[in-house]
């Protein structure tokens, strides 16, 4: 997702019916919700965070966060997100169901 609400989904092998690349746009209300969860999560304080416990029977979440107008990037991989990320992870996990997605054909460059 980009600051203007541009939404991209890359569905993997088990992502039926959303295998492949998709594009969409968040509504203003959805973008406001995302910004709320981003601010609440305090991601910029998580650069040194390490997952403490290992939950073996849970999905992994991969978060790559690029901070706008900044060269900083935060990458987190966890199957047990810390409490401050719960709302953000829930928003992201459910968001694809709430965005009007269009399949990007192979070789096609998505419009911004």
């Amino acid at each position: 997702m980009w600051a203007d609400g541009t939404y991209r989904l890359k569905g993997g092998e088990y992502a039926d019916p959303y295998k492949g690349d998709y594009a969409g746009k968040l509504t203003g209300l959805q973008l406001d919700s995302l910004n709320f969860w981003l601010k609440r999560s305090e991601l910029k304080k998580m650069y040194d965070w390490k997952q403490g416990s290992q939950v073996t029977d849970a999905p992994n979440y991969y978060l790559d966060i690029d901070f706008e107008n900044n060269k900083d990037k935060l990458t987190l991989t966890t199957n047990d997100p810390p409490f401050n990320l719960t709302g953000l992870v829930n928003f992201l996990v459910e968001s694809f169901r709430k965005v009007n997605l269009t399949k990007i054909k192979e070789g096609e460059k998505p419009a911004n």
Side-chain angles (χ1 to χ4, degrees):
M1 288 178 238
W2 282 257
D4 68 353
T6 300
Y7 186 99
R8 298 285 191 271
L9 173 68
K10 184 171 191 78
E13 182 179 352
Y14 303 105
D16 273 339
Y18 293 104
K19 285 184 184 180
D21 296 318
Y22 291 82
K25 189 90 166 178
L26 296 175
T27 66
L29 189 57
Q30 290 167 328
L31 192 54
D32 287 347
S33 293
L34 174 60
N35 284 324
F36 170 82
W37 291 116
L38 285 169
K39 287 177 185 170
R40 185 176 174 131
S41 65
E42 298 184 327
L43 289 168
K44 288 188 177 186
K45 294 180 180 180
M46 295 191 65
Y47 281 106
D48 297 325
W49 179 81
K50 301 284 185 225
Q51 180 169 321
S53 64
Q54 291 292 321
V55 178
T56 56
D57 191 21
N60 270 332
Y61 300 103
Y62 304 98
L63 301 162
D64 282 330
I65 310 291
D66 287 318
F67 295 100
E68 194 172 25
N69 300 323
N70 195 330
K71 293 185 180 178
D72 289 343
K73 181 175 182 174
L74 173 65
T75 300
L76 299 172
T77 301
T78 181
N79 55 14
D80 187 17
F83 186 70
N84 62 306
L85 290 183
T86 302
L88 177 60
V89 167
N90 288 339
F91 177 90
L92 295 172
V93 167
E94 294 296 320
S95 63
F96 76 95
R97 292 182 178 100
K98 299 173 183 174
V99 175
N100 185 12
L101 296 172
T102 304
K103 177 113 170 123
I104 301 170
K105 295 179 181 130
E106 196 170 322
E108 178 183 3
K109 190 172 187 178
N112 279 338

